[in-house]
Amino acid sequence: MSPGATNGEAEVGSDGPRQKGKATPDTLKIGCIALVTKDGQPRRAEILSIKETKSGRQFYCNFDNFNKRLDEWVPVSRIDFEQDVEWPNPEKDKQKDAKGKKTTVSKKSQPSKKTQKRVGKREQSVASEGQTPHPFTDSAESQSKPDGEDKANASLEVGATPGVGPDEMELDEDETPASAAKKENAPTFSREQEIEKLRTSGSMTQNPAEISRIRNISKVEFGRYVLFPWYFSPYPEAFSQEDCIYICEFCLSYFGNLKSFTRHRTKCTLQHPPGNEIYRDDFVSFYEIDGRRQRTWCRNLCLLSKMFLDHKTLYYDVDPFLFYVMTTRDEKGSHIIGYFSKEKESADGYNVACILTLPQYQRKGYGRLLIQFSYELSKIEGKLGSPEKPLSDLGLLSYRQYWSENIIDLLLGYAESGEKCTIETIATRLAMTTQDVEHTLQALKMQVYHKGEHKIVIPEKLLQQREKSRAKQKRVIDPERIQWKPPVFTAASRTWGW
């Protein structure tokens, strides 16, 4: 089975028996299931959308038992019309219409506009975070087992709007009958369910309205790479009619045709992100860009990253954020590898708002460098940091690995010196929040209760795993090379200046 495919029963068209029959490119409609060529093999795929492009009609296909990231726009030539097509079930459509009529609310029952409360970004994020499974719902065994092929596309992402979730570590409440009943009826989320969700949905937001949006860009030419987006990005509608869009890898301007892009490249003089270079070693550089001073560039960066992040919401209001962009250098300039953004003033102490490694640089250790750099900045600030929630599936895996490795290394150092170590000590040394430390220790089964005391132990299995990972040479950030001081902002510079 090709990469990204999952083993299991058919999921496309599993809503019941369907009528079969022949179809043509003109009669094929949304909801049909046809055989579409993918990786040289015919596979069942559901038609989710249809559009007309300059090269002809294209169909957006969701392949059976494949990760949603592998959905794609396909031309007519890849659809096998000699085989029967499964038509949509009309009874299901009628049931949907009936449900829609029943749930219609009369105008009289709707509250007036004056009494309606506008839901702010933070409230929306809280609701989203409450629906997201916690990063550490599975056991420590998941650290050593592959979580599906998603690791091959190791993109990182964190929710773009801040939200304050409940403190899940406060478990010492009194056990009342009501709370006991809630616990019995509370839905569980096992490790198997989590892995299955990572494989099939490609997201952990559990927000179907966001996840199911049809990808509007088919192909992107970015520098010397050709990228195939995973998700919808709010580029101008005219660009959805193009077979390929062209993005300048330095100024991030986007164009619908090659001629306009070529003319732009002859005039573009930018060779690095438009900000201050605050870190450089023999391998990478980091630039700090103020969203208020470089609005257009930061908005273009958000549009680019949205193609690979499923529930990123920040696009237009970039003023309250700082962007830290990691690049690699050659004779032509500094090429973007990835970035993370953070609020200029975070009321919740978040040190990352959104984080991404571009697909062409994934599985090369760059995501770990981005995470480490965010914590090095928190150490300079003298604060404890944590990424915004909800974490995406791949962001979850990357942060989980970073936290566990650093905590184990720190504990081994204390064990060799014979010193005692507490959760607060770990948090201070690593600039992590105590909640993240506790969740990591619990996930790795490193917390035990012995003789009336809570103690931290390191299982032999984790020691062996850590020795194996140490054998692999990994690049790290050198804190001595960081040339940065925490910026100080006035109230006007943290928001729109108009």
Side-chain angles (χ1 to χ4, degrees):
M1 190 168 288
S2 63
T6 60
N7 296 318
E9 299 179 357
E11 294 183 357
V12 172
S14 58
D15 53 340
R18 291 183 172 219
Q19 294 182 350
K20 296 184 179 181
K22 297 294 183 181
T24 65
D26 295 326
T27 60
L28 193 64
K29 61 182 181 179
I30 296 175
C32 291
I33 297 176
L35 287 179
V36 182
T37 302
K38 184 175 181 64
D39 302 327
Q41 298 182 13
R43 302 184 183 278
R44 294 178 74 249
E46 182 178 3
I47 309 300
L48 300 182
S49 183
I50 303 174
K51 71 175 181 180
E52 297 290 343
T53 65
K54 293 182 178 179
S55 62
R57 179 171 296 184
Q58 291 190 353
F59 300 85
Y60 191 73
C61 297
N62 170 230
F63 293 93
D64 196 9
N65 286 319
F66 270 75
N67 189 291
K68 184 173 176 58
R69 292 190 182 93
L70 300 180
D71 293 358
E72 59 178 315
W73 289 100
V74 300
V76 176
S77 59
R78 288 178 54 183
I79 302 177
D80 187 0
F81 289 100
E82 295 182 358
Q83 302 294 329
D84 287 342
V85 169
E86 299 178 32
W87 297 96
N89 192 341
E91 296 181 359
K92 186 179 179 182
D93 296 336
K94 290 180 181 179
Q95 292 176 358
K96 288 184 178 179
D97 295 339
K99 290 181 179 179
K101 292 179 180 179
K102 290 181 180 179
T103 56
T104 303
V105 182
S106 62
K107 293 184 178 180
K108 293 182 180 179
S109 62
Q110 293 179 351
S112 63
K113 292 183 178 180
K114 294 182 179 179
T115 59
Q116 285 181 344
K117 180 181 177 182
R118 184 178 179 182
V119 180
K121 287 185 177 180
R122 295 186 181 276
E123 296 175 19
Q124 293 175 354
S125 179
V126 171
S128 176
E129 185 173 359
Q131 296 174 352
T132 305
H134 196 272
F136 299 108
T137 52
D138 57 344
S139 64
E141 295 177 358
S142 63
Q143 302 291 333
S144 59
K145 294 183 180 180
D147 287 328
E149 193 63 27
D150 282 4
K151 285 189 176 181
N153 298 325
S155 160
L156 304 180
E157 175 224 352
V158 183
T161 53
V164 185
D167 188 355
E168 300 180 24
M169 296 305 299
E170 296 178 358
L171 303 177
D172 297 330
E173 299 178 358
D174 296 335
E175 186 76 18
T176 61
S179 61
K182 287 183 179 180
K183 289 183 179 179
E184 290 179 0
N185 298 329
T188 58
F189 201 76
S190 65
R191 176 175 177 275
E192 290 74 16
Q193 290 174 321
E194 179 182 358
I195 293 177
E196 185 64 20
K197 183 170 178 58
L198 297 184
R199 287 174 170 173
T200 56
S201 72
S203 171
M204 290 187 67
T205 61
Q206 295 190 348
N207 185 350
E210 281 294 326
I211 299 171
S212 62
R213 298 191 70 175
I214 303 299
R215 186 172 66 228
N216 57 335
I217 305 297
S218 302
K219 185 169 65 172
V220 176
E221 187 173 306
F222 185 73
R224 56 194 179 96
Y225 298 98
V226 175
L227 309 179
F228 295 92
W230 298 344
Y231 305 108
F232 171 89
S233 182
Y235 281 97
E237 187 176 356
F239 284 80
S240 62
Q241 308 301 321
E242 304 291 342
D243 297 316
C244 177
I245 69 171
Y246 304 86
I247 299 179
C248 176
E249 61 176 330
F250 297 111
C251 71
L252 304 184
S253 299
Y254 44 88
F255 302 88
N257 61 78
L258 182 59
K259 183 177 180 180
S260 300
F261 173 70
T262 305
R263 289 181 59 191
H264 166 79
R265 287 299 306 137
T266 60
K267 301 176 182 179
C268 183
T269 58
L270 198 64
Q271 292 185 327
H272 60 78
N276 297 325
E277 187 177 12
I278 60 176
Y279 178 86
R280 175 183 288 194
D281 59 21
D282 298 332
F283 188 62
V284 298
S285 294
F286 274 88
Y287 290 83
E288 180 185 58
I289 299 100
D290 189 339
R292 188 170 186 266
R293 294 185 178 183
Q294 300 291 341
R295 286 177 184 156
T296 300
W297 194 92
C298 293
R299 289 171 184 168
N300 289 343
L301 178 63
C302 291
L303 284 174
L304 172 65
S305 63
K306 180 62 186 73
M307 291 190 287
F308 307 102
L309 305 179
D310 56 348
H311 62 279
K312 176 179 174 60
T313 57
L314 169 65
Y315 157 58
Y316 199 70
D317 187 6
V318 296
D319 284 33
F321 292 86
L322 291 170
F323 294 80
Y324 295 89
V325 181
M326 181 168 61
T327 66
T328 182
R329 302 178 305 278
D330 62 15
E331 65 278 359
K332 294 184 179 179
S334 296
H335 308 276
I336 298 176
I337 297 174
Y339 84 100
F340 68 88
S341 61
K342 63 185 294 187
E343 286 185 286
K344 296 176 180 177
E345 292 290 340
S346 175
D348 304 306
Y350 293 133
N351 64 353
V352 166
C354 183
I355 184 168
L356 169 75
T357 304
L358 292 177
Q360 65 269 32
Y361 295 105
Q362 290 167 5
R363 299 198 70 189
K364 298 180 180 180
Y366 291 110
R368 179 187 174 85
L369 291 181
L370 286 169
I371 296 175
Q372 183 186 355
F373 195 81
S374 68
Y375 279 104
E376 293 296 341
L377 296 186
S378 296
K379 292 178 183 178
I380 297 176
E381 290 178 298
K383 299 178 181 178
L384 304 182
S386 179
E388 281 188 18
K389 310 301 187 300
L391 286 164
S392 71
D393 51 351
L394 301 180
L396 156 68
L397 296 175
S398 299
Y399 266 97
R400 177 186 294 168
Q401 182 178 7
Y402 176 84
W403 287 336
S404 59
E405 289 182 356
N406 280 270
I407 289 176
I408 291 175
D409 289 343
L410 184 63
L411 291 176
L412 289 177
Y414 276 105
E416 292 176 358
S417 62
E419 299 179 23
K420 290 186 177 181
C421 181
T422 64
I423 291 178
E424 289 74 15
T425 305
I426 298 174
T428 303
R429 288 287 302 275
L430 300 179
M432 293 172 53
T433 61
T434 55
Q435 185 178 4
D436 289 339
V437 174
E438 290 184 8
H439 286 154
T440 306
L441 294 176
Q442 288 183 353
L444 299 178
K445 297 182 179 178
M446 295 171 60
Q447 274 187 317
V448 297
Y449 189 74
H450 180 65
K451 294 183 178 180
E453 293 181 345
H454 290 279
K455 296 183 179 180
I456 301 176
V457 298
I458 305 179
E460 186 65 27
K461 185 178 180 180
L462 293 180
L463 292 176
Q464 295 175 358
Q465 293 176 7
R466 186 63 188 127
E467 289 300 325
K468 290 182 181 179
S469 63
R470 280 181 176 176
K472 302 177 182 178
Q473 294 184 353
K474 296 183 179 179
R475 304 181 183 94
V476 295
I477 297 294
D478 182 5
E480 299 296 329
R481 294 176 179 264
I482 300 178
Q483 304 294 323
W484 182 80
K485 291 183 179 180
V488 179
F489 299 98
T490 61
S493 62
R494 290 195 296 266
T495 56
W496 290 94
W498 299 345

